[in-house]
Amino acid sequence: MTPAHASPPRSGRAPAGDIPMLTWQGQPIDCATCPHADMRAEQGVENGCERGHSCVQDAYARRIDRFFRAHRELANQHLDHPYFEVRAIAARYADLFHLTPLLRDEDETVRLQVALRVPQRHLLTLCDDPHREVRIRVAQRLDEGQLSRLLHDPDYEVRTVLARRLPLALLPLLVADADTQVRRAVAERIEMPALWRLADDRAPEVRRIVARRAPPGLLAALACDDDWGVRWQVAERLDARQHAALLQRLTQDEDPEVRAMAHSRFAPIPFVAGAPHGGHRP
């Protein structure tokens, strides 16, 4: 039942979803005691203040966000609000030079929003943040020249981001990473001859990438790999005119998919009018 002192939704709009209209402390929303109560006397939802839809008192993040989208000029005033969702959402809209105190906010949701916006010189402060999601955002935004600060991060996802962003000259530093996902990301970018260091990686999914990217002249070394997927990649890349013997061997492979791929590489070369004798493979 709505308290007598609480204003009903002005436009009759139903609250977003089925989430009740309560404050972050679990109490009914009281528009009369709100510091922004004067907005209710102006233009309703067009003014960005409507209980159950756009409200800074509400515990529901979407309603808080609607409020600050309409009132960016008020965001700076709410960066020290006791409710972490208000601080985090206000941080999306506040002036950049007001965000520095939030670098050490007690809640990771707030620090995550700060990591998405602060300038590079402040972003370095978050390299050692205790929460992985914050450090992941740091790794996504940090200048290339500073990424090496995160090379020994304990979280594999942070190091995976590094493997996708590090300058190529530094990628060999992650070749022996303990996590398969990191080494896969490294294998997708690293250049020869460092790529070949992953040819005997313990994870077949890493070796498959090596087989897909290595120079054709090195593929023979992978043709006897224990993983059928590696051998399939080898067969798929071999040219029948240059590696006939190796392909012939793969037509006898124990795996039917590998045999089928090897046989397909011996398919007749189609004749193309005007092409050199023997046609060409598209």
Side-chain angles (χ1 to χ4, degrees):
M1 183 174 180
T2 304
H5 55 264
S7 302
R10 187 163 185 166
S11 67
R13 183 200 304 264
D18 296 320
I19 297 176
M21 294 178 287
L22 297 173
T23 69
W24 65 280
Q25 295 173 312
Q27 300 299 315
I29 292 172
D30 183 0
C31 295
T33 62
C34 178
H36 307 298
D38 56 332
M39 294 179 182
R40 297 285 296 161
E42 295 177 8
Q43 302 174 32
V45 68
E46 291 79 11
N47 195 47
C49 182
E50 179 186 357
R51 193 172 66 87
H53 182 73
S54 172
C55 180
V56 74
Q57 287 198 75
D58 208 302
Y60 187 32
R62 288 190 178 182
R63 295 171 190 157
I64 300 170
D65 185 71
R66 291 190 189 107
F67 178 87
F68 283 120
R69 263 187 283 165
H71 300 288
R72 291 172 180 263
E73 75 281 0
L74 297 177
N76 294 342
Q77 302 174 25
H78 290 79
L79 294 176
D80 59 352
H81 195 280
Y83 183 36
F84 77 93
E85 285 282 21
V86 171
R87 298 196 306 277
I89 296 169
R92 298 178 189 171
Y93 302 100
D95 298 331
L96 288 179
F97 54 85
H98 281 86
L99 296 181
T100 306
L102 297 181
L103 288 167
R104 297 301 183 190
D105 192 275
E106 64 183 14
D107 193 277
E108 66 272 11
T109 306
V110 178
R111 300 195 306 275
L112 177 58
Q113 289 300 324
V114 174
L116 294 173
R117 297 195 60 210
V118 291
Q120 290 288 320
R121 66 181 182 276
H122 294 311
L123 199 56
L124 293 173
T125 304
L126 297 172
C127 284
D128 298 319
D129 193 275
H131 200 277
R132 66 186 296 268
E133 291 295 336
V134 176
R135 300 196 311 278
I136 289 171
R137 296 307 183 276
V138 171
Q140 291 170 340
R141 286 197 59 216
L142 205 59
D143 284 342
E144 280 192 1
Q146 301 290 344
L147 286 174
S148 59
R149 291 170 174 260
L150 295 168
L151 276 171
H152 302 293
D153 193 277
D155 190 85
Y156 76 95
E157 190 62 48
V158 175
R159 300 194 308 277
T160 299
V161 174
L162 290 191
R164 293 168 181 157
R165 295 197 60 222
L166 274 173
L168 291 176
L170 296 180
L171 268 183
L173 296 175
L174 291 174
V175 163
D177 193 274
D179 191 86
T180 299
Q181 178 172 303
V182 177
R183 299 196 309 279
R184 285 177 59 186
V186 171
E188 290 285 0
R189 295 184 60 222
I190 200 167
E191 298 177 336
M192 289 292 294
L195 172 64
W196 199 244
R197 290 171 57 187
L198 293 167
D200 59 354
D201 192 273
R202 60 185 177 276
E205 52 265 49
V206 175
R207 301 197 305 275
R208 291 180 187 185
I209 297 172
V210 176
R212 174 164 52 80
R213 297 189 63 230
L218 297 177
L219 293 178
L222 297 172
C224 296
D225 194 277
D226 291 339
D227 179 65
W228 75 269
V230 175
R231 302 194 305 276
W232 186 94
Q233 288 284 357
V234 171
E236 196 271 338
R237 293 190 59 208
L238 290 175
D239 189 310
R241 289 167 294 192
Q242 299 177 24
H243 306 96
L246 183 54
L247 266 178
Q248 187 62 49
R249 193 174 83 199
L250 289 172
T251 63
Q252 307 301 313
D253 192 271
E254 64 182 29
D255 188 273
E257 296 291 341
V258 177
R259 295 198 301 270
M261 175 53 69
H263 279 294
S264 74
R265 303 300 287 159
F266 285 110
I269 300 173
F271 173 78
V272 178
H277 180 69
H280 73 283
R281 183 180 297 277

